[in-house]
Amino acid sequence: MHYDNCQFSIVNCFWLDPPYHSIVTCIDTWLDSFPLDASIRARTAEVLCALPQSILTDFIEDPSFSICDYEPGKMFYVPMQLGHRRPGRAVVLKRTLRTRPIDFARWVIAHEFAHAHLRNGGRFPGEDPEHAADALAATWGFPKPSGTRAALSGEL
């Protein structure tokens, strides 16, 4: 796959066996370990390509990190693993993102990865976690879209 917004073209993904040299290959290989809808997976990969390498590496190297998607209104299982010294992290995405405008879907995905990176806290003591996730997603190139019901009401 090719993603237009990938920041890095060559990287040694030493945490994967065998080592891969394309960040896209690293992301695709890593995402293969999660049972994601094809459309959600592609949009997630596009967001991951825009993350700073240190943050992307933090997610990929964390064996207790997981990603899943679900169909609203149906029962689903969120795979969680115990972390080593820290609680596990998970990003859970609604499959309704398949049909949402691309900028909105990418913002939601980036916002949820920001929560995971911040471990559902703020960037500093006392900061609202929702504001922190919005701000971090914006620094990654995914600002909160204006003019949408979700953007105005805070619903994801």
Side-chain angles (χ1 to χ4, degrees), residues 5-141:
N5 64 334
C6 267
Q7 292 182 1
F8 347 100
S9 57
I10 303 296
V11 65
N12 182 11
C13 296
F14 59 87
W15 55 89
L16 296 174
D17 187 32
Y20 296 92
H21 298 289
S22 162
I23 193 64
V24 172
T25 304
C26 290
I27 290 169
D28 282 340
T29 301
W30 182 61
L31 287 176
D32 284 345
S33 64
F34 305 107
L36 296 172
D37 170 86
S39 177
I40 300 297
R41 184 186 191 282
R43 291 179 177 200
T44 299
E46 292 167 347
V47 169
L48 292 171
C49 280
L51 298 184
Q53 189 168 354
S54 62
I55 292 172
L56 177 61
T57 300
D58 176 54
F59 287 129
I60 291 175
E61 289 183 342
D62 183 351
S64 65
F65 182 81
S66 66
I67 310 168
C68 67
D69 57 22
Y70 71 100
E71 204 64 60
K74 295 183 180 181
M75 293 289 290
F76 71 100
Y77 167 74
V78 178
M80 290 295 296
Q81 298 181 33
L82 294 175
H84 180 70
R85 298 185 189 158
R86 296 182 106 170
R89 300 179 286 176
V91 167
V92 180
L93 303 167
K94 290 182 184 177
R95 289 191 183 147
T96 56
L97 291 173
R98 293 178 295 206
T99 59
R100 301 302 299 267
I102 192 71
D103 288 344
F104 177 79
R106 287 178 181 155
W107 167 73
V108 169
I109 294 166
H111 174 95
E112 295 306 320
F113 271 89
H115 276 306
H117 175 67
L118 296 168
R119 298 184 181 273
N120 293 312
R123 295 169 295 170
F124 50 83
E127 183 181 31
D128 174 33
E130 291 301 320
H131 175 76
D134 286 347
L136 189 54
T139 67
W140 295 339

